[in-house]
Amino acid sequence: MHKSRLGNIIIDCHTDDLMREAKFWSAALGCPLPKDAHEQARGKYLQLETRPGEVQIILQQVDHDSRAHLDIETDSIEEEVSRLKKLGAIPVARHDGWTVMQAPSGHRFCVGKPYRGGFEQAANLWE
């Protein structure tokens, strides 16, 4: 038995200016830029501000085509990967702390440890 839920929406940006992309998505989604946005934009990730308990919105600078992907957070990566494989997903890559999977539709998504508060109360329970 384990738990899982949608954790993050990751906006993959093939860009050399993550701050420019963050300003667009911040305005488009009504999610404020964090106070340290310029500092975060120097790295590979920038997390927009969302209300407590809401799904997190993270921009990621990537080398592949721009797209969005989901992160599923779980208290058992192994059990969640197994459950999703039974639904038709296939593992693509395993990393320390998360697994990249591909849905039957071809969409990539990640399965990892819980990222935000309220997981125990709000996650789906799978038997």
Side-chain angles (χ1 to χ4, degrees), residues 22-41:
K23 287 177 181 177
F24 169 81
W25 285 108
S26 171
L29 300 174
C31 297
L33 291 169
K35 289 183 175 75
D36 64 345
H38 288 283
E39 184 178 318
Q40 284 188 43

Side-chain angles (χ1 to χ4, degrees), residues 81-114:
V81 166
S82 178
R83 183 182 80 82
L84 294 166
K85 283 172 61 177
K86 290 175 188 170
L87 296 174
I90 57 170
V92 175
R94 296 185 190 271
H95 300 276
D96 214 17
W98 80 94
T99 298
V100 179
M101 298 192 75
Q102 184 170 306
S105 61
H107 293 91
R108 297 276 174 103
F109 62 97
C110 296
V111 177
K113 297 174 185 172

Side-chain angles (χ1 to χ4, degrees), residues 11-117:
I11 301 171
D12 295 336
C13 302
H14 186 209
T15 183
D16 59 357
D17 188 351
L18 191 59
M19 191 64 194
R20 178 186 66 219
E21 310 308 332
K23 287 177 181 177
F24 169 81
W25 285 108
S26 171
L29 300 174
C31 297
L33 291 169
K35 289 183 175 75
D36 64 345
H38 288 283
E39 184 178 318
Q40 284 188 43
R42 285 190 285 258
K44 189 176 177 178
Y45 301 95
L46 190 150
Q47 182 174 332
L48 300 179
E49 291 186 7
T50 54
R51 292 181 185 93
E54 283 187 350
V55 171
Q56 297 178 149
I57 307 291
I58 300 172
L59 283 80
Q60 174 179 232
Q61 188 174 16
V62 297
D63 294 328
H64 56 71
D65 289 342
S66 294
R67 60 183 177 224
H69 76 265
L70 306 176
D71 283 353
I72 295 174
E73 55 184 9
T74 181
D75 58 1
S76 175
I77 295 171
E78 183 178 314
E79 288 181 78
E80 184 67 358
V81 166
S82 178
R83 183 182 80 82
L84 294 166
K85 283 172 61 177
K86 290 175 188 170
L87 296 174
I90 57 170
V92 175
R94 296 185 190 271
H95 300 276
D96 214 17
W98 80 94
T99 298
V100 179
M101 298 192 75
Q102 184 170 306
S105 61
H107 293 91
R108 297 276 174 103
F109 62 97
C110 296
V111 177
K113 297 174 185 172
Y115 311 105
R116 59 190 172 95

